Amino acid sequence: MAKQQQYKFCFGPWNISEGQDPYGPTTRPVQTFDWKLEQLKKLGFDAMMFHDDDAVPDIDGKSAAQLRKEAKELKQKLDDAGVAAEMVAPRLWFSPNTIDGAYTSNDPKCRQYAIDRSLRCIDIAGYLDTDLVVLWLAREGTYMREAKNGQRSVELLVQALDKMLAHNRKIRISIEPKPNEPMDHAYIPTIGHALAIAQLTCDAKRVGCLIESAHAILAGLDPADEIDFAMAFGKLWSLHLNDQNGLKFDQDKPFGSANLRVAFNQVRALERNGYGKDGQYVCFDVHPFRTTKVEHWLAHLTNSKRTFMQLLRKARTFDEKTANQLIADRDYAALDQMVIEHLMGK
Ligand code: GLO
Ligand code: MG
């Protein structure tokens, strides 16, 4: 029997969030980074994801030397805790320079800011000893389509990717597509778009993707199919598991919270493709419900991991032989019921 995959898990400091939403303020007090790192370690997670400014706060005002010093201090802290840095992502959606998008802004000065910031992010990734840079292209889109030229935007995105690839020949870029929010329509809405734009860059093999369950669902797609598709290209380098109850605001619910069967199929897809065998992590991009009390603050993370482990057991004990017989007989009604009863524990 093939050796079973041991999965490694991570989350980001933003996943211990304070409950703010567009309609109201925080409901939990802000905690320090050190406290979050301690919790991650206590919960038995293996790595942490970073935005560039999670790693080096107030990054824009700092010199290259300062950046290096602070990132190296953080690396030491992570080493002492026995925690790896999974990736670093440039936070390109907060600054006044990225109001109209980053790489696709209509203002050349703002586009330059986005590129400079991305190169600094790549340097931080180097100091933290990860070769993975994640690009969530948050504001690369429009609120109204006439505001930007879509054809030009593709060119600008490719130019930006090329500059990043040239800056450090060791890094790999994982594009994290999301179809909407904060924009009405984003330019790289799905995994198909992410892998297609990779082909236009100067080093396509270093441009892959990151699938987030909720983002696939928001695009009306099945995250398990997205996993199979990306892995057919060998390009699924990171993963944000969570859940989403239909076409609403980005909910980042605990994994399996809205649709256990969709979650089960994601785990099956990971298993059949051998996700993790090249060191990839399972990350939970989940948030506590706004109602969560301080004493229950980490439950969404432990619950997501528990659900993942239970679904892994379900995937591994699924009666493939009977399923294959039902498939051969085209008895999908029985197959459907078999899946339901397997998930219900019968
Ligand atoms: C938002 C995204 C966001 C990214 C993170 C890493 O919808 O999922 O959480 O994953 O900023 O780039
Ligand atoms: Mg995400």
Side-chain angles (χ1 to χ4, degrees):
M1 205 176 92
K3 199 167 157 279
Q4 289 191 332
Q5 179 62 41
Q6 297 286 316
Y7 290 90
K8 293 187 297 179
F9 299 94
C10 72
F11 62 81
W14 65 91
N15 296 121
I16 307 183
S17 51
E18 294 86 24
Q20 186 169 12
D21 72 12
Y23 306 95
T26 56
T27 55
R28 294 172 292 274
V30 179
Q31 274 291 1
T32 62
F33 173 80
D34 288 356
W35 183 85
K36 292 181 179 180
L37 177 61
E38 204 182 305
Q39 306 314 306
L40 180 138
K41 198 175 151 58
K42 266 196 212 150
L43 298 180
F45 282 71
D46 307 282
M48 194 174 239
M49 317 190 263
F50 287 94
H51 292 120
D52 50 4
D53 59 359
D54 292 321
V56 180
D58 304 317
I59 179 176
D60 282 335
K62 290 182 177 162
S63 69
Q66 189 69 16
L67 213 75
R68 183 167 194 271
K69 181 173 169 283
E70 289 186 35
K72 292 212 155 192
E73 280 164 11
L74 171 61
K75 175 72 172 80
Q76 188 58 53
K77 204 179 271 185
L78 293 174
D79 285 351
D80 292 346
V83 169
E86 192 245 353
M87 63 83 170
V88 188
R91 198 196 297 267
L92 291 170
W93 51 95
F94 261 46
S95 157
N97 287 310
T98 56
I99 290 172
D100 191 27
Y103 313 126
T104 66
S105 167
N106 280 324
D107 180 341
K109 284 199 291 304
C110 293
R111 292 202 297 273
Q112 191 57 50
Y113 163 84
I115 290 178
D116 292 343
R117 170 96 183 227
S118 306
L119 302 188
R120 283 155 73 82
C121 171
I122 291 170
D123 294 342
I124 294 176
Y127 302 138
L128 297 187
D129 198 22
T130 172
D131 66 349
L132 195 63
V133 169
V134 166
L135 291 185
W136 171 43
L137 300 168
R139 298 193 193 277
E140 312 297 4
T142 58
Y143 301 105
M144 71 210 72
R145 267 302 178 251
E146 298 80 5
K148 283 184 189 171
N149 174 336
Q151 180 200 31
R152 174 101 180 105
S153 294
V154 175
E155 286 168 11
L156 290 170
L157 286 167
V158 173
Q159 282 168 18
L161 287 163
D162 281 349
K163 287 196 179 120
M164 287 181 248
L165 292 166
H167 183 69
N168 179 334
R169 299 201 177 268
K170 290 205 186 105
I171 56 136
R172 294 173 300 144
I173 298 174
S174 273
I175 299 176
E176 178 182 352
K178 181 178 180 183
N180 59 279
E181 204 197 18
M183 307 315 292
D184 179 5
H185 286 289
Y187 280 132
I188 307 289
T190 68
I191 291 302
H193 292 81
L195 297 189
I197 204 163
Q199 296 307 311
L200 295 180
T201 66
C202 61
D203 197 358
K205 65 178 185 316
R206 288 196 288 135
V207 183
C209 66
L210 179 163
I211 291 171
E212 174 161 325
S213 326
H215 298 178
I217 294 165
L218 283 169
L221 299 171
D222 177 19
D225 281 350
E226 291 283 83
I227 291 170
D228 281 324
F229 184 79
M231 292 204 73
F233 289 81
K235 289 232 174 168
L236 187 59
W237 299 336
S238 187
L239 179 68
H240 286 182
L241 293 183
N242 57 14
D243 214 349
Q244 171 72 27
N245 189 16
L247 302 183
K248 297 181 181 168
F249 61 94
D250 185 10
Q251 298 179 314
D252 294 332
K253 288 189 166 197
F255 183 52
S257 157
N259 193 330
L260 214 45
R261 187 169 179 174
V262 169
F264 169 66
N265 281 312
Q266 288 171 75
V267 177
R268 278 191 94 206
L270 296 173
E271 280 279 281
R272 75 174 146 254
N273 287 288
Y275 183 82
K277 73 173 169 354
D278 300 318
Q280 304 94 332
Y281 290 85
V282 170
C283 314
F284 295 113
D285 198 356
V286 292
H287 285 272
F289 301 118
R290 187 164 192 267
T291 46
T292 304
K293 295 178 191 165
V294 170
E295 58 267 38
H296 308 140
W297 202 346
L298 305 170
H300 61 304
L301 295 161
T302 47
N303 289 346
S304 292
K305 192 169 160 198
R306 267 172 75 123
T307 304
F308 181 92
M309 294 311 291
Q310 300 248 29
L311 289 175
L312 188 58
R313 196 168 54 74
K314 288 286 175 188
R316 288 177 178 169
T317 56
F318 186 62
D319 184 353
E320 302 285 352
K321 197 162 156 235
T322 304
N324 283 335
Q325 280 160 3
L326 295 172
I327 290 165
D329 191 27
R330 215 176 71 196
D331 190 353
Y332 301 151
L335 178 64
D336 185 41
Q337 191 61 17
M338 185 186 145
V339 172
I340 292 171
E341 293 191 4
H342 183 62
L343 287 177
M344 288 195 303
K346 193 159 165 253

